[in-house]
Amino acid sequence: MINKQILIFGGCFNPPQNSHLSLAEQLINEYEEIEKIIFVPVNSKYQKIDLIENEHRYNMLKLICDKNEKFDVSRIEIDSDRPLYTIETLKAFQKLYPENEISFIIGSDNLKELCTWNNSNELVKDFKIYVLERSYDDIKNIINSNDFLKNNSSAFIKAKNTIVSNLSSTFIRDKIRNGKSVRYLTPDEVISYINNNNLYK
């Protein structure tokens, strides 16, 4: 019997992009064990330049997730009084969904730094990690060139047949500031929300 997984997709989502959503949809298509994907926007206390308020990023994701029964959005990090470590977030979800296996997704750029994360040994022991290959990275080479990753290679799943985009939220924000169209880069609902709330101007 396949263990039903809940995949945690963390990020700034400032704003959410169509590429975030297409990636999530393709992961569900490719892995029947993934029951649901939960988007987890980071807390605005996280030191990130140009990060707008928690509620706006949550609301934009909510507009999207309400239209897809396999998508959900969580307030677990934005309601915290401090930025949470990934291990804390994942443990909280495991308590919320004891019948499911919790896993999460990172990019290959973050994979390179995983050994420096808080409680990284526990992280790779207790949770499966879907890795999205970015730009010219080769996940196999990254793992083999790092002893920590190599010794825990069974924790990593190379996300297969996913749509990879080098588009950044910074690019979208800059377009908005310059009065340019961001149609097809982010969902129409998000564009309407941005315009109605005069964001990124």
Side-chain angles (χ1 to χ4, degrees), residues 107-173:
S108 53
D109 50 341
N110 286 321
L111 179 66
K112 299 171 187 176
E113 308 297 326
L114 190 64
C115 60
T116 67
W117 289 19
N118 182 267
N119 287 341
S120 56
N121 283 304
E122 187 177 3
L123 197 64
V124 296
K125 179 172 68 72
D126 293 344
F127 301 98
K128 291 291 185 185
I129 304 168
Y130 288 80
V131 185
L132 174 65
E133 206 164 58
R134 294 189 183 280
S135 58
Y136 299 104
D137 283 342
D138 183 295
I139 292 171
K140 187 176 180 180
N141 287 342
I142 292 171
I143 291 173
N144 287 335
S145 63
N146 181 289
D147 286 341
F148 171 80
L149 299 178
K150 190 190 298 184
N151 292 338
N152 295 284
S153 59
S154 60
F156 308 115
I157 301 167
K158 178 182 175 180
K160 59 185 178 182
N161 298 329
T162 53
I163 299 169
V164 179
S165 171
N166 290 323
L167 176 68
S168 70
S169 292
T170 302
F171 177 85
I172 295 175
R173 295 195 300 273

